[in-house]
Amino acid sequence: MSATRSDQLGSRGTSGGERSFGLDVARATAAVGVLVTHVAFATGVVNPQRWASPLREVLPRLDVGVTIFFVLSGQLVGRPFVRRSLAGAPAPGVQRYTLRRLSRVYPSYWVVLTVALVNFGGGSLGEVIADVLLVHIYVPAWAIGPITQSWTLATEIAFYAFVPVWFWAMNRFMASRGVAEPSRRFTFLGWGLAAWCAMALLWRIGVVALTDTFDFTQPAAVDTRGALLTWLPNHLDAFALGVGMGLWLESGRARPLSAGLRMACYTTAAISLWVVSVGLDLPPVFTGFDGPQTHLRHLLFLVIAAGVVAPSALA
């Protein structure tokens, strides 16, 4: 690879490129969805006794914003690695990548965590340390922590650690087999991402098979199934969707989406949101789903996230 091409790759840093207004809108939509769903729980409007409108059933499912965030992370974090892997170039510098990723999460999180601990208290010293380091999800009884949404940050941190290791392994694997052409590297990376999706499905099947449906009416019960489903393997398919969009873009095969195709994506997402809200008989909480509900909810969340992100990511 020429020095000029290498310099061009390096100058683009460890982000997916220039900021996209469409992706910013998708990110804002996801954030508002998560905010609204938590406010709905806090105010009790998800209960039929408080609000009889059918829209009440949609509010608990706006936590699909988390899946949208994971797809966005896959696209934005994974794309620079995809770009360099297709070109046969070294991966982005791990030190710079690590500092940038951690600086986006920990400082602001620590501020909010401190406020939460001061006002509401924490558990044991070990639990507080786990919360500070964002490893609390790996102990089922600690998974939620003083900040309910913090599990998503723990999963993001795990993804940040996984990405450079996986691309390093894939690059070594392709080099050992003399795979140098971008088209062949595209195929290898595509199959690798398919393996992410298979791993996610197998993880979910195993968790459902080995755990019981959580009884959220029991205050002292531990949601082991819910805790295990916060772990990275369960969400690798969402991240794979985002990385796959980056792979498609960097391969040069992407074409502008027509207005009709964009509308079809958004319509599919809206229909899927309605189906997951009213068609699966889910309880009006974040957890307590049986096996079929767990699998179908996850699948529909992937469809919604893809429908929201793809029109802008692939523009």
Side-chain angles (χ1 to χ4, degrees):
M1 186 179 67
S2 68
T4 301
R5 175 59 175 160
S6 179
D7 291 342
Q8 289 174 343
L9 287 168
S11 67
R12 296 171 72 173
T14 56
S15 67
E18 296 181 359
R19 292 184 67 89
S20 161
F21 175 75
L23 294 182
D24 286 342
V25 171
R27 185 183 294 108
T29 300
V32 170
V34 172
L35 174 63
V36 169
T37 194
H38 281 281
V39 170
F41 281 115
T43 58
V45 296
V46 296
N47 299 317
Q49 296 83 358
R50 287 288 305 275
W51 192 28
S53 170
L55 292 177
R56 167 187 56 79
E57 299 185 78
V58 177
L59 297 179
R61 307 287 79 88
L62 293 181
D63 61 337
V64 69
V66 173
T67 306
I68 294 173
F69 278 128
F70 288 163
V71 173
L72 285 167
S73 289
Q75 204 267 343
L76 297 170
V77 175
R79 187 175 175 185
F81 288 90
V82 166
R83 179 186 306 135
R84 288 173 170 270
S85 183
L86 286 176
V94 173
Q95 183 177 2
R96 182 167 181 258
Y97 165 82
T98 302
L99 289 175
R100 290 188 63 175
R101 291 297 102 201
L102 297 185
S103 67
R104 291 177 64 89
V105 174
Y106 278 112
S108 56
Y109 167 70
W110 284 335
V111 171
V112 176
L113 178 63
T114 299
V115 173
L117 292 175
V118 169
N119 285 275
F120 306 110
S124 65
L125 177 60
E127 186 173 352
V128 171
I129 293 174
D131 290 329
V132 169
L133 298 178
L134 283 173
V135 295
H136 57 292
I137 63 173
Y138 304 112
V139 179
W142 301 351
I144 297 302
I147 303 174
T148 304
Q149 304 87 342
S150 63
W151 73 264
T152 64
L153 298 179
T155 305
E156 284 277 0
I157 292 293
F159 175 67
Y160 295 161
F162 174 76
V163 166
V165 173
W166 187 82
F167 274 96
W168 172 83
M170 282 297 295
N171 290 336
R172 288 288 299 271
F173 177 76
M174 289 187 286
S176 69
R177 283 157 177 75
V179 179
E181 299 84 0
S183 60
R184 291 190 64 200
R185 296 177 76 88
F186 171 87
T187 300
F188 272 73
L189 291 174
W191 279 112
L193 294 177
W196 290 21
C197 296
M199 186 185 303
L201 178 59
L202 291 174
W203 177 268
R204 204 155 42 251
I205 290 173
V207 169
V208 168
L210 297 174
T211 60
D212 297 322
T213 301
F214 176 59
D215 184 358
F216 55 85
T217 64
Q218 301 297 320
V222 175
D223 185 8
T224 302
R225 174 178 295 180
L228 294 175
L229 292 178
T230 65
W231 293 13
L232 176 62
N234 185 53
H235 301 283
L236 277 175
D237 44 12
F239 289 112
L241 279 176
V243 178
M245 293 178 192
L247 177 61
W248 187 250
L249 287 167
E250 292 297 334
S251 71
R253 306 182 186 197
R255 297 293 180 270
L257 300 182
S258 66
L261 189 54
R262 287 169 176 259
M263 185 57 63
C265 288
Y266 293 133
T267 301
T268 300
I271 293 173
S272 299
L273 177 60
W274 184 253
V275 171
V276 75
S277 299
V278 303
L280 302 185
D281 196 28
L282 299 176
V285 289
F286 292 130
T287 187
F289 314 128
D290 63 24
Q293 289 173 332
T294 297
H295 292 297
L296 290 173
R297 173 181 176 273
H298 190 94
L299 175 61
L300 288 169
F301 272 20
L302 291 176
V303 173
I304 295 167
V308 169
V309 176
S312 296
L314 301 179

